[in-house]
Amino acid sequence: MEPVFPMEPVSSHAIPQGGQWLAQVKWDGVRILTYAERGHVRLFNRKKNERTYHYPEITTFDFFAADSVILDGEVIAMGQDGIPSFHEVMRRDGLRNLSKVKAVQPLVPISYMVFDILYLDGKWVTDLPLVERLALIEERLTPTPYVQAVTAQKDGEALFEVMSQYGMEGLVVKDESSPYLINEKKPTWQKIKIKRDVNAVVGGYTLKNGVANALLIGLYDDQNRLWYIGHVGTGKLTKAEWRDLTTHLKSFGESEAPFVNPPGQTSDTYWVSPKWVCKIHFAEWTEGRSLRQPSIQAFLEIDPRTCTFQNEAPEMRKG
């Protein structure tokens, strides 16, 4: 089976009204598609990068009754507060030395939350309505300690309220008659976030006692210019991770700021070539187009040029 790009939801600020909508929890994890055929299992993320060896808990494939299947879902890991943590799951997903997977497994247990099915027993089921695809999952999937089916609720408002109380990521609300459109983003799937986040490019950092303590971040506009949107020094990084990050940042040092609107440089500010991307949670945008209360969640291996106002913050679009 050749990997495919999954269907994506569009962003929305309100839960759509009407009886045709089903709401599912939006997990703060890593999108993973499972490809299984006659006992052979491979895992790929949304960019079609293989993750088979990162999550051996899933590859045993003792949880789904089928000769062949493609499943769509999210791999999550819990933080100390019992809430799914993107930083934690990236401790698994970000591993490049796969010999470390076995040692990290008990430290970062994961769960695979299955919310859709694309292919079953030799046939594509993407044209079936969502409710029928969910029924197939319910019929064939046997929950395990590592795999669960994502339930769908009619009352999106109530689910949103519960998710808000627990500090969860948000909801994905889907038209119950919607087909699964590979490599498309359509309003028949809508994501409503409780936590706001943005993928931003690192263009500089500050040092304290020789160790990085904050990152200067930005987004590109439609003219390929990088705009400074704030600095961030809080989040999920440990002291050891800050020390390792400092070493890497110094290797990408530049003499000039990559931003078109650089903040004032001080003796502890250093510029870097814009090659690093980090996921940032934040409270809101300010009138000056900067982030309020940003916090670092994890670093991502994605093209920095995709971190644009158009993609990440259309309401703050630069031009």
Side-chain angles (χ1 to χ4, degrees):
M1 297 181 184
E2 291 296 321
V4 299
F5 290 111
M7 184 175 177
E8 301 281 1
V10 302
S11 296
S12 177
H13 297 295
I15 297 173
Q17 301 298 307
Q20 78 273 29
W21 297 98
L22 296 174
Q24 295 178 316
V25 173
K26 185 181 187 302
W27 303 99
D28 198 4
V30 176
R31 188 84 171 266
I32 293 291
L33 274 70
T34 297
Y35 300 78
E37 188 168 25
R38 293 187 293 274
H40 181 64
V41 179
R42 298 182 73 184
L43 310 175
F44 291 85
N45 66 15
R46 72 174 73 219
K47 298 296 184 181
K48 298 201 293 189
N49 296 318
E50 187 159 10
R51 290 294 184 264
T52 304
Y53 303 103
H54 290 72
Y55 306 114
E57 299 95 327
I58 304 172
T59 59
T60 56
F61 208 70
D62 55 358
F63 58 87
F64 204 89
D67 291 328
S68 59
V69 70
I70 301 175
L71 299 173
D72 193 356
E74 199 94 355
V75 169
I76 64 172
M78 297 298 181
Q80 293 183 350
D81 55 4
I83 301 299
S85 166
F86 189 75
H87 178 264
E88 284 298 303
V89 77
M90 287 304 293
R91 292 176 61 192
R92 291 281 296 271
D93 199 79
L95 285 173
R96 295 300 167 257
N97 183 350
L98 296 178
S99 66
K100 295 182 179 180
V101 170
K102 188 173 182 179
V104 176
Q105 270 186 265
L107 302 177
V108 187
I110 58 95
S111 296
Y112 185 42
M113 310 305 294
V114 178
F115 54 72
D116 217 321
I117 181 171
L118 289 71
Y119 186 88
L120 179 63
D121 290 337
K123 296 180 180 180
W124 290 96
V125 295
T126 48
D127 286 338
L128 293 179
L130 172 63
V131 287
E132 294 186 26
R133 301 197 307 275
L134 294 179
L136 289 174
I137 295 173
E138 183 179 2
E139 176 187 338
R140 302 285 190 109
L141 189 145
T142 301
T144 76
Y146 303 109
V147 181
Q148 302 286 326
V150 178
T151 59
Q153 309 293 329
K154 274 288 189 181
D155 193 339
E157 298 283 354
L159 184 59
F160 187 87
E161 180 63 27
V162 172
M163 294 301 98
S164 299
Q165 292 175 5
Y166 282 94
M168 297 283 282
E169 183 77 358
L171 300 183
V172 178
V173 183
K174 304 173 181 178
D175 188 318
E176 64 182 11
S177 65
S178 61
Y180 189 106
L181 302 173
I182 292 172
N183 196 25
E184 293 195 39
K185 180 182 287 190
K186 294 292 183 181
T188 51
W189 286 18
Q190 299 182 29
K191 60 182 177 182
I192 301 96
K193 291 187 177 182
I194 297 167
K195 292 181 179 177
R196 304 188 70 182
D197 59 57
V198 62
N199 295 335
V201 181
V202 179
Y205 63 98
T206 58
L207 286 178
K208 182 178 181 181
N209 298 325
V211 178
N213 68 337
L215 304 178
L216 283 67
I217 56 175
L219 292 176
Y220 285 100
D221 65 12
D222 57 7
Q223 299 177 47
N224 209 29
R225 299 176 299 181
L226 186 63
W227 290 81
Y228 171 76
I229 60 170
H231 66 278
V232 52
T234 61
K236 301 290 187 178
L237 300 188
T238 65
K239 291 181 179 179
E241 288 171 327
W242 275 111
R243 288 193 294 270
D244 290 342
L245 177 61
T246 304
T247 301
H248 290 297
L249 289 171
K250 287 181 176 179
S251 67
F252 291 103
E254 297 284 349
S255 59
E256 297 184 359
F259 305 109
V260 296
N261 61 333
Q265 186 176 18
T266 62
S267 60
D268 63 349
T269 302
Y270 299 85
W271 309 120
V272 295
S273 55
K275 300 181 182 298
W276 288 61
V277 175
C278 51
K279 180 178 179 179
I280 305 293
H281 280 169
F282 66 101
E284 63 182 359
W285 287 95
T286 70
E287 291 184 2
R289 292 188 174 90
S290 62
L291 303 181
R292 188 171 72 82
Q293 297 178 3
S295 66
I296 302 168
Q297 301 303 301
F299 288 89
L300 308 174
E301 288 192 352
I302 63 174
D303 183 354
R305 299 290 175 174
T306 64
C307 299
T308 64
F309 284 97
Q310 178 66 36
N311 290 339
E312 300 292 339
E315 74 275 23
M316 307 300 292
R317 187 181 296 113
K318 285 276 187 178

